[in-house]
């Protein structure tokens, strides 16, 4: 009980044969029924967002089969504000293997979902911006494995994402430039310093054009590298002029 209270969880206990339900005060509060008691199961359902009711029903049907309940859904409070909840539970069976009791918890994950939505929106803005740029834009994980390419990369190379993932990004680089590319990239990953190199990329028509590639590590507050963000800019005309 102390652990549950400390974790700010709501608790529910349902007798699946009699439909009797015991719900904690915190559970009532999370579901938008603060200060209300003696609510039936149907009463509690009234705050579940209409868009999520079918999903919730399927989650319970699956729980009766596999023994565990887990779903996330929106709830609508009396003031029409929308909140997110996460429900987890355990199904208990009788001697005939029929569900007879469901014991579980409910938590308010509104803040968490809001943060996730903000991250998704930021990522979408980054992708829209990257796809609108003529430069090659790419990212990698801390170990140096490239995991994102903007639209320009595909348009320029004629390669698909599957081809890039299967054979690697170096297939675009001129054979004479690959060893130096690997050397410079490896040094950047191991040292955490910026990556900077001039090399040639093969175009979809077989032509090679000079590119200036650079990448900068993105670090957290502790200085740990979380990802690398890089760009490759066409410098063919400058190189030919030089």
């Amino acid at each position: 009980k102390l652990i549950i209270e400390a974790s700010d969880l709501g608790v529910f206990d349902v007798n699946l044969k009699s439909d009797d339900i015991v719900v904690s005060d915190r559970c009532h509060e999370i579901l938008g029924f603060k200060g209300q008691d003696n609510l039936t199961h149907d009463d509690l359902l009234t705050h579940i967002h209409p868009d999520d009711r079918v999903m919730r029903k399927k989650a319970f049907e699956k729980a009766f089969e596999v023994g565990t309940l887990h779903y996330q859904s929106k709830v609508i409070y009396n003031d029409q504000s929308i909140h997110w909840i996460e429900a987890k539970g355990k199904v208990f069976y009788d001697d005939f293997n029929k569900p007879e009791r469901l014991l579980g918890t409910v938590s308010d994950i509104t803040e968490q979902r809001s943060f996730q939505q903000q991250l998704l929106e930021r990522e979408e803005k980054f992708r829209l911006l990257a796809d609108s740029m003529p430069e090659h834009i790419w990212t990698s994980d801390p170990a140096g494995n490239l995991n994102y390419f903007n639209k320009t990369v595909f348009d320029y190379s004629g390669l698909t994402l599957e081809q890039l993932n299967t054979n690697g990004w170096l297939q675009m680089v001129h054979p004479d430039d690959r060893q130096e590319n690997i050397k410079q990239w490896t040094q950047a990953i191991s040292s955490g310093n910026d990556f900077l190199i001039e090399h040639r990329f093969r175009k979809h028509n077989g032509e090679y054009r000079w590119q200036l590639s650079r990448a900068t590590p993105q670090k957290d507050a502790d200085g740990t590298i979380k990802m690398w963000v890089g760009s490759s800019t066409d410098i063919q005309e400058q190189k030919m002029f030089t």
Side-chain angles (χ1 to χ4, degrees):
K1 180 179 178 181
L2 289 173
I3 292 174
I4 291 172
E5 290 177 353
S7 59
D8 204 28
L9 293 172
V11 182
F12 60 89
D13 187 355
V14 184
N15 186 318
L16 299 172
K17 295 185 175 180
S18 66
D19 284 335
D20 291 335
I21 181 172
V22 178
V23 183
S24 69
D25 292 340
R26 178 55 182 155
C27 189
H28 279 142
E29 185 178 346
I30 292 173
L31 294 174
F33 297 96
K34 185 176 183 179
Q36 302 182 50
D37 297 320
N38 302 319
L39 296 172
T40 66
H41 185 252
D42 289 338
D43 292 332
L44 296 174
L45 286 178
T46 59
H47 279 192
I48 299 295
H49 196 287
D51 294 344
D52 296 336
R53 289 178 184 174
V54 173
M55 176 274 299
R56 180 185 180 277
K57 180 181 178 182
K58 291 181 178 179
F60 273 85
E61 292 173 349
K62 181 179 179 181
F64 297 148
E65 296 177 4
V66 301
T68 55
L69 173 72
H70 182 212
Y71 71 90
Q72 295 181 356
S73 72
K74 301 181 290 294
V75 294
I76 306 174
Y77 284 12
N78 290 329
D79 62 2
Q80 299 305 304
S81 60
I82 296 178
H83 301 256
W84 279 91
I85 65 166
E86 180 175 45
K88 296 181 179 180
K90 171 70 175 176
V91 179
F92 297 89
Y93 301 86
D94 61 17
D95 295 335
F96 302 99
N97 203 33
K98 299 293 183 182
E100 67 173 355
R101 184 183 181 191
L102 175 60
L103 183 65
T105 62
V106 176
S107 57
D108 186 332
I109 60 169
T110 304
E111 185 175 341
Q112 175 185 337
R113 291 287 302 211
S114 176
F115 179 68
Q116 291 175 345
Q117 183 61 35
Q118 291 177 20
L119 289 179
L120 288 174
E121 291 175 355
R122 290 176 184 176
E123 182 177 350
E124 181 63 21
K125 288 180 180 178
F126 168 77
R127 291 177 181 272
L128 287 173
L129 176 62
D131 283 341
S132 68
M133 298 177 68
E135 291 84 2
H136 300 74
I137 305 297
W138 41 274
T139 65
S140 85
D141 62 20
N145 302 305
L146 273 66
N147 50 25
Y148 167 77
F149 306 95
N150 71 338
K151 186 174 180 294
T152 300
V153 174
F154 301 112
D155 292 342
Y156 178 92
S157 66
L159 299 172
T160 65
L161 179 60
E162 182 179 2
Q163 289 173 316
L164 285 170
N165 288 336
T166 301
N167 299 317
W169 183 66
L170 277 176
Q171 64 184 300
M172 289 175 55
V173 179
H174 194 288
D176 294 345
D177 300 334
R178 290 176 186 174
Q179 283 303 118
E180 184 64 20
N181 193 140
I182 294 173
K183 176 184 175 182
Q184 296 294 337
W185 184 235
T186 302
Q187 288 179 351
I189 296 300
S190 60
S191 67
N193 296 326
D194 287 359
F195 170 73
L196 182 65
I197 190 174
E198 292 182 2
H199 49 181
R200 288 161 287 182
F201 286 177
R202 187 182 68 246
K203 205 171 181 180
H204 57 80
N205 59 4
E207 174 192 3
Y208 281 94
R209 295 182 64 85
W210 281 97
Q211 309 285 328
L212 173 64
S213 294
R214 64 178 74 226
T216 301
Q218 305 298 302
K219 303 178 181 179
D220 61 17
D222 298 323
T224 302
I225 296 176
K226 307 302 292 184
M227 64 183 295
W228 289 79
V229 178
S231 66
S232 299
T233 304
D234 190 303
I235 58 170
Q236 180 71 17
E237 279 68 31
Q238 294 94 310
K239 290 288 288 187
M240 293 303 97
F241 179 77
T242 302

